[in-house]
Amino acid sequence: VVRKERIPFDVLIRLHNKVHFTPDKAVIASLLIGLVKQKAEEEVLVATGFDKWAPQLIKIRADFMAQKQAEQKEFKAGLWEKFEFLKNQRMTVQARRVLNRLVQLYPEDQELRTTKQNFDEQHAREVIANHVATLQAGARERTQTSTGPADEEMLKNFLREGEILAVDHREFALDMAVAFWFLEDYYRSLEILAWAPPSVAADWMRADVLFAARRFIEALEQLNQLEAKYIEDPETTFSANYLRAQCMHGLGQPTQALEIMQSIVRARPQYRSAHAFILEWSAGASWG
């Protein structure tokens, strides 16, 4: 009975060398055929005992190493491309995970280590900027005229009745969210918006309300989701970048905000509101 089992070619070569066996042409031919059929080229990387009788093994070894080096290069490039995409989409946690993996796999790559250091420093600046923006938003809210007890009770009832109505008429929730937005009651606007049926308008409304509430990091995350969800709509990129730039400016990153807005007007010169922001944000310029 012939049993088809995998042959350990490296062990076979070493054993033959140990007993000083000289293989004939039939053995060499079978070995070369077997390596190809079993895709076992890796097994002869260090088993060089048959090289003097089968110089083909030297080429097999070189070709295998070249193939693996090409695969590693492609794998590394793929990880780097993924990191760049995640970074540009401001998916910081995911981008850091990929970058850390790159540094672990290629610790000798100084460029990767420098990139990681710069990335970590940039993230730290963003965290600080976001914290400052949050403190500024809190200070701004404290200086605003607080809602009186009667008005507060009215708004609570307004939300409660709206949620009851939205159970059977979910489309009404979007109108309610707009109403709370106009009243600058962004918390309740988001609350009632959660009842709205899935739609493009509801998705963009959430991004606008988060921005109005100065919850810039959440707004940026929402924009990332919108770009992925509506990737086939060419207007999505422009609209997302327009709001993204304002979020970046709110986070205390005027240079990045200006670069994004400038990229918009390069593609859409007629985008007048983008021009207005550029004038406002440019150094030494004022706009009112």
Side-chain angles (χ1 to χ4, degrees), residues 138 147 220 238:
T147 305
L220 288 171
F238 291 100

Side-chain angles (χ1 to χ4, degrees), residues 42-96:
E42 186 175 2
E43 295 183 12
V44 296
L45 287 180
V46 294
T48 59
F50 277 16
D51 285 7
K52 58 185 175 182
W53 296 297
Q56 301 96 316
L57 292 173
I58 299 174
K59 185 177 186 307
I60 289 174
R61 191 177 298 117
D63 291 345
F64 180 80
M65 289 299 298
Q67 176 188 346
K68 289 301 176 184
Q69 289 173 356
E71 290 174 358
Q72 277 295 312
K73 185 177 181 180
E74 184 178 353
F75 176 73
K76 183 179 180 181
L79 281 179
W80 178 260
E81 183 178 352
K82 185 176 182 180
F83 162 71
E84 286 287 346
F85 171 79
L86 293 171
K87 183 184 70 171
N88 292 336
Q89 294 298 313
R90 302 198 58 76
M91 301 173 70
T92 306
V93 175
Q94 296 88 335
R96 181 188 289 106

Side-chain angles (χ1 to χ4, degrees), residues 48-282:
T48 59
F50 277 16
D51 285 7
K52 58 185 175 182
W53 296 297
Q56 301 96 316
L57 292 173
I58 299 174
K59 185 177 186 307
I60 289 174
R61 191 177 298 117
D63 291 345
F64 180 80
M65 289 299 298
Q67 176 188 346
K68 289 301 176 184
Q69 289 173 356
E71 290 174 358
Q72 277 295 312
K73 185 177 181 180
E74 184 178 353
F75 176 73
K76 183 179 180 181
L79 281 179
W80 178 260
E81 183 178 352
K82 185 176 182 180
F83 162 71
E84 286 287 346
F85 171 79
L86 293 171
K87 183 184 70 171
N88 292 336
Q89 294 298 313
R90 302 198 58 76
M91 301 173 70
T92 306
V93 175
Q94 296 88 335
R96 181 188 289 106
R97 190 178 298 125
V98 174
L99 183 56
N100 287 341
R101 180 63 174 158
L102 276 165
V103 173
Q104 290 172 357
L105 290 173
Y106 309 100
E108 75 290 346
D109 192 324
Q110 185 57 44
E111 183 178 354
L112 283 176
R113 301 182 73 86
T114 301
T115 299
K116 184 179 186 305
Q117 180 179 352
N118 294 337
F119 181 82
D120 290 341
E121 290 175 356
Q122 176 64 26
H123 177 62
R125 287 193 292 269
E126 290 179 2
V127 170
I128 294 172
N130 185 40
H131 181 64
V132 171
T134 301
L135 293 176
Q136 292 174 341
R140 176 167 156 252
E141 290 173 359
R142 287 192 295 271
T143 59
Q144 291 178 338
T145 304
S146 59
T147 305
D151 289 338
E152 181 65 20
E153 186 63 27
M154 181 269 294
L155 290 171
K156 286 182 180 179
N157 292 332
F158 192 28
L159 176 61
R160 182 167 56 251
E161 293 299 323
E163 289 177 334
I164 293 173
L165 184 60
V167 171
D168 296 319
H169 304 280
R170 293 183 62 190
E171 67 280 358
F172 183 66
L174 184 58
D175 295 331
M176 290 282 292
V178 173
F180 279 116
W181 184 28
F182 282 131
L183 292 171
E184 297 185 358
D185 191 339
Y186 306 122
Y187 174 80
R188 289 190 174 93
S189 180
L190 291 170
E191 283 283 300
I192 194 67
L193 186 59
W195 289 86
S199 68
V200 176
D203 287 341
W204 281 104
M205 180 70 186
R206 176 173 170 78
D208 287 330
V209 175
L210 287 170
F211 169 73
R214 299 183 65 81
R215 291 162 61 172
F216 300 126
I217 295 298
E218 293 175 77
L220 288 171
E221 292 174 355
Q222 175 72 2
L223 291 173
N224 291 336
Q225 295 176 20
L226 291 178
E227 285 187 298
K229 188 174 182 179
Y230 303 112
I231 191 171
E232 295 182 0
D233 183 356
E235 294 300 319
T236 297
T237 299
F238 291 100
S239 299
N241 279 336
Y242 182 72
L243 190 55
R244 179 178 287 114
Q246 295 174 70
C247 289
M248 298 300 294
H249 194 271
L251 286 170
Q253 300 181 42
T255 301
Q256 289 182 315
L258 188 60
E259 289 175 355
I260 295 173
M261 205 63 80
Q262 287 172 336
S263 69
I264 292 175
V265 299
R266 281 196 294 269
R268 299 283 181 89
Q270 73 278 13
Y271 220 134
R272 294 185 179 181
S273 57
H275 282 285
F277 276 115
I278 290 174
L279 290 174
E280 180 182 3
W281 295 343
S282 296

